[in-house]
Amino acid sequence: MSKAGQEPIRRRRRLHGMMFRLPLMITCEAFEDFILAYLEGDLNARQTFVFELHLKLCRECRDYLDAYRKALELAKACGSDEAAVLQKVPEDLVAAVLAARDC
Amino acid sequence: MGCGLEADGKSSIGTTIDDDAVITLKAGEPRSTERFVRLHVGWMLAVATRIVRDPHHAEDAVQNAFANIFDKIDEFGGRSALKTWMHRIVVNESLMLLRKIKRTDTVSIDDLQPEFDANGCRFEDHWAAPNTPEALLLQSDMRAQVMGQIDLLPDTYRIILVLRDIEELTTREVAEALEISEANVKVRLHRARAALKRLLEPLVKGQGL
């Protein structure tokens, strides 16, 4: 990106840096520490308000949380895919289990 | 009567599937035992493979798990479903094997964490039109690609992601299985998810890996 193109981004970051010091505001770094608790429903009402206020004002954190959720959803769907369970019973393993049982 | 396994959870004489399975295992009747093993070996192997990654180690874990199930069936008190009890056993056997496996083919978890400037503001590219997980799941090799990325995580992080998000254990159950604190589970889980988000970004953005 050109120097001129980066200027609005720098300006927004400076503005965010100042804004996030105001009462009831947190930085993106502090926001990061609350993500897991927020998704698990472990934040109290005030913490949830502060978290969601930051989310409303910060596009970077909105994009980040959206991608975080999508990656998690994908991992859950792929990892627990029932199709992954073997359709064909592994005969060697069944035989080994039963042989050990008979010992 | 055999295993008496019916879809509605009740057998022909009104006992539950779990009751019948426990009776079968305690009696040690060979044909019923074989039916029991065949019924459960597939999902148990899938669980073990997700944890230890290696198919041979996964088979060892399943074999050890069945040996444990046969030995401890008298201790099954019915406080949970039989499958839940068996799931815990195969997870524990897999974790015991995993502790003996040394891996070097992993990524650095620190390199995949989010970055912030001096003001604590996040560096994050804007995602114009990311693919939805639903759309991605329609791609035939998506599962292998995603699992391949999860496998890149160091085991101390990967295993927590697998146990919590895929095997759906609670934080407390993961903490007990790994003998670490619940706070430690939460910290590692978030770092694992953040790293996975970075690893899966190319997929979600439609760029391929």
Side-chain angles (χ1 to χ4, degrees):
Chain A
M1 192 184 289
S2 68
K3 265 189 165 180
Q6 285 180 344
E7 193 44 40
I9 298 174
R10 282 207 198 97
R11 213 178 308 135
R12 194 173 76 237
R13 300 184 73 82
R14 271 201 304 275
L15 185 68
H16 273 184
M18 288 186 283
M19 190 167 70
F20 294 159
R21 290 196 189 95
L22 296 171
L24 290 178
M25 301 289 269
I26 50 173
T27 63
C28 303
E29 212 163 355
F31 175 92
E32 180 73 26
D33 293 337
F34 286 108
I35 289 177
L36 186 72
Y38 176 73
L39 295 179
E40 310 242 311
D42 287 343
L43 296 184
N44 64 32
R46 187 178 189 280
Q47 289 169 326
T48 303
F49 175 81
V50 170
F51 185 92
E52 289 178 346
L53 181 63
H54 180 94
L55 202 55
K56 276 196 185 94
L57 297 169
C58 180
R59 191 179 79 183
E60 280 79 4
C61 283
R62 273 200 307 279
D63 286 342
Y64 178 84
L65 189 61
D66 185 40
Y68 182 101
R69 279 179 153 142
K70 284 194 167 86
L72 182 57
E73 208 177 311
L74 205 52
K76 284 183 176 183
C78 290
S80 56
D81 185 1
E82 284 304 310
V85 175
L86 301 177
Q87 296 302 312
K88 194 164 173 280
V89 172
E91 293 300 333
D92 289 356
L93 181 57
V94 172
V97 168
L98 294 172
R101 168 71 158 161
D102 293 338
C103 288
Chain B
M1 185 181 73
C3 264
L5 298 173
E6 310 284 340
D8 64 357
K10 292 278 183 185
S11 71
S12 49
I13 58 167
T15 54
T16 67
I17 285 173
D18 283 359
D19 291 341
D20 286 353
V22 170
I23 292 165
T24 291
L25 290 181
K26 284 182 180 174
E29 199 276 308
R31 288 178 67 179
S32 300
T33 303
E34 182 176 341
R35 268 200 296 275
F36 176 84
V37 171
R38 287 181 178 281
L39 183 68
H40 294 287
V41 73
W43 70 261
M44 287 172 69
L45 194 54
V47 170
T49 305
R50 285 196 283 265
I51 294 173
V52 299
R53 298 168 72 251
D54 175 84
H56 297 296
H57 284 118
E59 290 200 2
D60 288 346
V62 171
Q63 206 176 328
N64 294 344
F66 270 113
N68 237 320
I69 290 163
F70 296 148
D71 282 350
K72 293 182 175 172
I73 193 64
D74 287 331
E75 296 170 22
F76 173 69
R79 284 183 297 276
S80 62
L82 182 63
K83 191 171 174 181
T84 307
W85 182 72
M86 291 170 66
H87 183 266
R88 218 167 293 150
I89 289 175
V90 73
V91 164
N92 284 335
E93 290 297 336
S94 303
L95 289 175
M96 280 174 67
L97 275 179
L98 184 66
R99 287 186 190 112
K100 296 177 189 163
I101 304 169
K102 295 275 175 273
R103 292 177 62 202
T104 53
D105 55 340
T106 59
V107 292
S108 159
I109 201 87
D110 291 337
D111 292 347
L112 296 169
Q113 296 306 301
E115 292 171 299
F116 306 93
D117 67 13
N119 290 319
C121 291
R122 185 187 301 278
F123 289 107
E124 177 76 9
D125 290 338
H126 181 53
W127 297 27
N131 286 325
T132 63
E134 294 78 17
L136 287 168
L137 287 168
L138 295 175
Q139 295 176 28
S140 59
D141 61 341
M142 188 50 57
R143 185 182 177 278
Q145 288 195 59
V146 172
M147 293 312 287
Q149 296 303 301
I150 293 175
D151 282 352
L152 290 175
L153 298 173
D155 279 341
T156 46
Y157 292 90
R158 183 186 64 84
I159 198 61
I160 289 181
L161 185 104
V162 169
L163 294 179
R164 262 301 311 270
D165 290 337
I166 297 173
E167 299 303 331
E168 298 184 334
L169 268 63
T170 64
T171 300
R172 178 180 289 188
E173 286 168 339
V174 176
E176 283 171 2
L178 298 176
E179 297 173 357
I180 58 176
S181 68
E182 288 185 42
N184 199 343
V185 170
K186 289 179 182 178
V187 169
R188 286 200 224 168
L189 176 65
H190 180 60
R191 284 171 64 78
R193 286 176 175 180
L196 185 66
K197 176 248 172 208
R198 281 282 287 278
L199 290 170
L200 294 182
E201 260 175 12
L203 276 181
V204 181
K205 284 181 176 175
Q207 296 165 347
L209 291 171

